[in-house]
Amino acid sequence: TQLLEQSPQFLSIQEGENLTVYCNSSSVFSSLQWYRQEPGEGPVLLVTVVTGGEVKKLKRLTFQFGDARKDSSLHITAAQTGDTGLYLCAGAGNQFYFGTGTSLTVIP
Amino acid sequence: NAGVTQTPKFQVLKTGQSMTLQCAQDMNHEYMSWYRQDPGMGLRLIHYSVGAGITDQGEVPNGYNVSRSTTEDFPLRLLSAAPSQTSVYFCASSLTWGTGPEQYFGPGTRLTVT
């Protein structure tokens, strides 16, 4: 049973389009992180959100932590080919729990 | 400063063989962990350590052993490899254990068990 479910699992969009990736759970987490992973490499941290309702922006990426600290979303504005990769959410509880992942392909 | 290093990068084993995946970090991080990554399942925690001499089980510990004799090294041992252990293995470290520490990941070891 996966503690964190991400949707969609795969996403293919044109350059310039907007997209949102969701990370949902029935469990409460003390914090939630988003990572991006490129082929053949380990994940790299993008952001950590700690407070329920928190919104963080990283250039064209906007991250939101749900009010109840059970879910999160990642919104990308005007996607670029360099955004292509696997996006993973991870919740911190007594351990780290990673989501199922969203594979994003941005087509030029 | 090399960060987190893992060896080997690729490995093929026959069922029943044993081997050790090496992981080292030079950032003086207290917390280290091992994950496996399988298609459609994200990363799953195998074992973790909050400091030298202290280890604990994660979500999927069966078939794996770990030890932490130094702060720098955290090897993962496969006792008797099975095809179900075919996966990509990542080692990670962070400065502390608690809310939202950044985990630094190694480049991974791709293991195939035939």
Side-chain angles (χ1 to χ4, degrees), chain B residues 14-107:
Chain B
K14 294 187 188 304
T15 297
Q17 288 185 317
S18 62
M19 79 159 295
T20 299
L21 279 62
Q22 301 292 344
C23 174
Q25 52 91 10
D26 60 0
M27 298 175 282
N28 202 30
H29 284 175
E30 288 296 318
Y31 181 81
M32 296 185 74
S33 54
W34 276 102
Y35 294 89
R36 59 177 289 171
Q37 185 172 34
D38 303 292
M41 301 193 73
L43 282 86
R44 292 181 292 169
L45 184 64
I46 303 171
H47 285 286
Y48 65 98
S49 169
V50 298
I54 306 169
T55 63
D56 208 345
Q57 296 182 349
E59 187 182 351
V60 288
N62 292 341
Y64 307 95
N65 270 359
V66 292
S67 59
R68 184 97 179 269
S69 55
T70 67
T71 299
E72 295 78 20
D73 300 297
F74 191 44
L76 178 72
R77 297 183 190 84
L78 278 70
L79 309 172
S80 177
S84 60
Q85 293 178 304
T86 293
S87 187
V88 182
Y89 291 85
F90 288 98
C91 178
S93 74
S94 61
L95 185 61
T96 61
W97 166 241
T99 300
E102 177 174 1
Q103 293 194 80
Y104 295 83
F105 284 83

Side-chain angles (χ1 to χ4, degrees), chain A residues 3-5 8-10 15 20 25-26 28 34 38 47 57 59 63-65 67 74 78-79 88 98 102:
Chain A
L3 210 58
L4 282 162
E5 295 287 342
Q9 187 175 359
F10 297 98
E15 197 169 27
T20 301
S25 176
S26 57
V28 176
W34 284 92
E38 302 199 10
V47 78
K57 292 192 175 185
K59 297 182 181 178
F63 304 86
Q64 183 159 9
F65 201 11
D67 291 340
L74 157 61
L88 295 157
F98 275 82
T102 295

Side-chain angles (χ1 to χ4, degrees), chain A residues 36 46 56-63 74-77 83 87:
Chain A
R36 185 169 78 194
L46 295 173
K56 278 193 175 178
K57 292 192 175 185
L58 187 67
K59 297 182 181 178
R60 295 174 293 100
L61 279 61
T62 302
F63 304 86
L74 157 61
H75 182 79
I76 301 179
T77 303
D83 296 327
Y87 289 82

